[in-house]
Amino acid sequence: MKAVIGIDFGTDSVRALIVNTENGDELSTAVHHYPRWKALKYCDASRNQWRQHPLDYIESMEAAVKEAFSKSGLKKESIKGMAVDTTGSTPVAVNQEGIPLSLIPGFEENPNAMFVLWKDHTAIKEAEEINLLCKSWHTDYSQFEGGIYSTEWFWAKILKMVRDDESILKHAYSWVEHCDWIPFLLTGAKDVDQMKRSRCAAGHKALWHPSWNGLPPNDFLEALDPKLDGLRNRLYNDTSTSDISAGKLSESWANRLGLHTDIDIAVGAFDAHMGAVGGEIEPNHLSKVMGTSTCDILVAPVSGKEYLVKGICGQVDGSVIPGLIGYEAGQSAFGDLYAWFANILSGATTNSIKKSKLLDDATKEKLIAEATNNLIQELSHLAAEIPIGSGGVLTLDWMNGRRTPDANQTLSGVISGLNLGNTAAQLFRSIVEASCYGARMIVDRFRDEGIPIHGLIGLGGVAKKSPFIMQIMADVMNMPIKIAKSEQTCALGAGMFAAVAAGIHADIGIAMKKMGSGFDRTYYPFPLHVKEYEQYYQDYQKLASTLEPYIMQSPKHHT
């Protein structure tokens, strides 16, 4: 048997999946949470600062891979390839050897020397400056990234770090994405100038495009801030798609993982992009990874003049499937919205659990998680019995800003139409409806820009666990939504790329046919519901356009 390992680095944990390359059977899996992140070290929610220590990635990856391999019962010679997907944009400052500064003495506890997680929103000011310069420069380098550069992306975060911390400016030779660093680490490479950089990460987050020879030129970056002068020469011009091998597993890592060195490590990519492949994406079908946030992926053939879609998270040739244009959009909060509301309702109870002197930490954590999850399930049951429209409550789902269409991370959420008769179920239903209206705005933007969407593919925890939310999604969209059978689509997609990089399958299309797990359910829109939701969707659009100028978050949250 030939098998591969797909490694999926999420926001909270890393998952390793071992897959049979002939039929896609998922042989074993293991999940390990990041210990420092779990303790909320190096983070400050009040400032939207979210940082992760590379040791969290290293330790959790090693534990997950070793556990999954042990559970598989395979001999190590059966493993032929590995691939990783990560969150993004999640960059880190490195020295010339490609070592993150936070792994170097003197920087171990410095949050600015750690990976700046995708949802870190501390660089709002820097993103605004990038947008202004792009619009005034002779070339708009944001044109293939929706025309609006986000605080969640590569250059905004780098600019924020070097401005805030002179030690980072002085010691950072280069900057790398999480999805580029892990393959570099596993192959034992020592020269960051030789690192294979992900086409996916570069094109969607770093203003990379072949028409201007890769990244923006040094004079543009220097005009942005003199602190960036010279960095361009320490980055890259070329990028690679994830069907390419970044090298073989190093002897050191082979020993650590109990594997062998004749294992190809594929070039990395972002989780939603590999997840779309794992979910068997089709041209002009929107693949929606629905977890804490959503990441929406679309692929379309390259044909003649390329449409520039405004207000999305980029369009990149080969970022998802080589030979097709990959488009990315998404919502800054989705599952996080539901968990946020459940946490508000359960706050007093969970606080009592936290203060208990009779329970150990593990028991407290388990009880709090059960309370939150059970509450969301109960709210879903109650909300399903309420008529569409939530008793007049209408919500704007921007509690964590807006990713697309038209990124604006300074926006905050709104719950309107409240009265003393409203119930928790009505508020919850309104939040769910709003999250689906926000998803509809993305579909409408693609269509308005000339990109047809024929159907939806649902991936991730919310898609698998909530028929209530998925039925509302189908009704609001007026399109069927197929739910991928695999619960590990991101790791499965990584496994597919590993199989191609290792030469087992000729291309990713063949890998998807051989290794895909299919779909276990399709939600179809109810015509009567479609008509009702259409009216409420128009109300959502009116509320959004009316209130957007007045619901910016306070600047103090982003200093």
Side-chain angles (χ1 to χ4, degrees):
M1 177 192 297
K2 294 180 180 180
V4 290
I5 303 176
I7 306 174
D8 170 33
F9 287 87
T11 298
D12 302 318
S13 62
V14 60
R15 180 184 309 274
L17 176 69
I18 299 184
V19 189
N20 185 328
T21 60
E22 286 305 308
N23 54 24
D25 283 352
E26 298 179 7
L27 304 175
S28 63
T29 188
V31 180
H32 280 262
H33 287 79
Y34 309 136
R36 296 162 190 80
W37 171 260
K38 194 173 182 180
L40 292 179
K41 295 191 70 174
Y42 318 117
C43 299
D44 183 349
S46 68
R47 297 180 59 242
N48 277 319
Q49 175 182 301
W50 304 101
R51 310 291 163 82
Q52 291 184 326
H53 201 290
L55 288 177
D56 269 357
Y57 300 151
I58 293 172
E59 294 165 1
S60 299
M61 174 178 66
E62 181 176 359
V65 171
K66 289 169 72 173
E67 181 184 342
F69 179 63
S70 176
K71 288 162 63 175
S72 74
L74 296 174
K75 295 181 179 179
K76 62 183 181 181
E77 290 76 18
S78 298
I79 306 297
K80 303 299 181 182
M82 296 172 67
V84 305
D85 68 76
T86 74
T87 66
S89 178
T90 302
V92 70
V94 298
N95 66 9
Q96 192 164 1
E97 293 181 1
I99 301 172
L101 296 190
S102 43
L103 294 179
I104 295 173
F107 289 93
E108 301 96 329
E109 299 297 315
N110 184 345
N112 298 329
M114 298 174 191
F115 284 90
V116 186
L117 189 65
W118 64 271
K119 70 176 185 176
D120 187 294
H121 290 171
T122 55
I124 286 178
K125 176 178 177 290
E126 286 70 22
E128 291 173 350
E129 292 177 38
I130 293 170
N131 282 311
L132 287 172
L133 187 59
C134 281
K135 296 299 178 282
S136 63
W137 205 255
H138 55 78
T139 299
D140 182 355
Y141 295 112
S142 71
Q143 62 184 282
F144 291 98
E145 296 193 15
I148 301 175
Y149 201 76
S150 170
T151 184
E152 295 184 347
W153 297 349
F154 187 77
W155 287 112
K157 291 175 173 177
I158 292 173
L159 185 53
K160 175 68 173 174
M161 295 305 102
V162 300
R163 283 176 170 175
D164 283 1
D165 196 325
E166 284 291 329
S167 67
I168 300 298
L169 176 64
K170 180 179 178 181
H171 290 90
Y173 175 79
S174 190
W175 293 78
V176 303
E177 284 282 359
H178 184 192
C179 68
D180 292 332
W181 182 67
I182 296 294
F184 183 83
L185 175 74
L186 291 173
T187 56
K190 300 296 183 185
D191 182 357
V192 72
D193 291 329
Q194 301 302 312
M195 177 184 288
K196 282 193 166 82
R197 305 284 190 145
S198 164
R199 172 79 54 85
C200 171
H204 285 286
K205 312 300 181 187
L207 302 174
W208 180 92
H209 198 269
S211 65
W212 47 76
N213 194 32
L215 298 171
N218 188 72
D219 59 345
F220 174 86
L221 299 175
E222 186 181 12
L224 188 59
D225 194 303
K227 293 179 185 294
L228 298 180
D229 183 24
L231 176 59
R232 175 68 178 78
N233 294 331
R234 306 193 302 275
L235 289 167
Y236 56 91
N237 291 322
D238 300 325
T239 61
S240 300
T241 52
S242 294
D243 54 339
I244 302 298
S245 175
K248 298 287 187 179
L249 186 66
S250 70
E251 184 175 356
S252 172
W253 271 99
N255 291 335
R256 289 177 70 163
L257 299 175
L259 299 173
H260 60 98
T261 57
D262 192 22
I263 294 176
D264 280 286
I265 310 298
V267 172
F270 291 151
D271 45 11
H273 299 71
M274 284 192 170
V277 171
E280 299 173 69
I281 192 169
E282 305 172 45
N284 295 105
H285 281 64
L286 194 66
S287 169
K288 296 183 64 65
V289 180
M290 289 175 274
T292 55
S293 64
T294 75
C295 196
D296 299 350
I297 302 295
L298 180 77
V299 294
V302 181
S303 57
K305 183 179 179 180
E306 184 177 350
Y307 293 100
L308 287 175
V309 181
K310 294 182 293 186
I312 63 169
C313 303
Q315 52 195 84
V316 184
D317 188 353
S319 66
V320 183
I321 297 175
L324 297 177
I325 301 291
Y327 299 84
E328 179 190 345
Q331 294 163 271
S332 293
F334 196 77
D336 268 353
L337 291 173
Y338 318 140
W340 162 76
F341 186 65
N343 286 333
I344 288 177
L345 295 184
S346 64
T349 300
T350 56
N351 193 49
S352 297
I353 294 173
K354 290 177 183 177
K355 290 182 177 180
S356 173
K357 297 180 179 179
L358 301 176
L359 303 172
D360 59 44
D361 289 344
T363 303
K364 290 178 183 179
E365 183 179 322
K366 180 181 178 182
L367 290 174
I368 290 171
E370 287 177 350
T372 302
N373 292 335
N374 291 340
L375 184 53
I376 291 175
Q377 292 177 11
E378 182 61 25
L379 286 168
S380 296
H381 292 314
L382 293 172
E385 299 173 358
I386 297 171
I388 291 170
S390 308
V393 180
L394 184 60
T395 296
L396 296 180
D397 54 316
W398 298 335
M399 281 68 167
N400 195 31
R402 183 180 63 212
R403 183 178 297 161
T404 48
D406 304 322
N408 187 343
Q409 300 303 340
T410 68
L411 292 173
S412 55
V414 170
I415 301 178
S416 68
L418 294 171
N419 61 58
L420 295 177
N422 290 132
T423 65
Q426 288 175 326
L427 268 64
F428 182 75
R429 180 170 185 119
S430 176
I431 290 168
V432 171
E433 290 173 347
S435 67
C436 294
Y437 298 147
R440 168 77 179 272
M441 292 280 282
I442 294 171
V443 168
D444 285 355
R445 175 57 58 90
F446 275 114
R447 287 173 168 167
D448 290 344
E449 296 290 310
I451 307 295
I453 295 180
H454 303 311
L456 306 171
I457 300 172
L459 319 170
V462 178
K464 296 291 289 184
K465 296 174 184 177
S466 183
F468 168 67
I469 296 172
M470 289 304 97
Q471 186 58 57
I472 293 179
M473 182 71 73
D475 293 340
V476 169
M477 295 287 202
N478 193 20
M479 281 189 292
I481 178 167
K482 300 189 294 185
I483 308 302
K485 184 179 293 184
S486 174
E487 295 185 1
Q488 325 292 346
T489 49
C490 293
L492 178 58
M496 292 174 180
F497 278 106
V500 178
I504 297 170
H505 296 309
D507 57 49
I508 201 64
I510 293 173
M512 283 197 290
K513 289 178 182 177
K514 287 278 190 178
M515 299 171 65
S517 59
F519 305 91
D520 59 10
R521 182 167 184 178
T522 301
Y523 294 89
Y524 295 94
F526 295 136
L528 291 178
H529 292 180
V530 169
K531 292 182 180 179
E532 284 192 74
Y533 279 120
E534 185 63 34
Q535 181 60 55
Y536 288 112
Y537 174 58
Q538 292 178 19
D539 292 341
Y540 170 92
Q541 291 176 299
K542 291 175 184 176
L543 185 67
S545 61
T546 300
L547 292 186
E548 182 167 341
Y550 306 102
I551 54 175
M552 304 294 186
Q553 297 178 31
S554 170
K556 71 180 181 181
H557 293 158
H558 309 293
T559 57

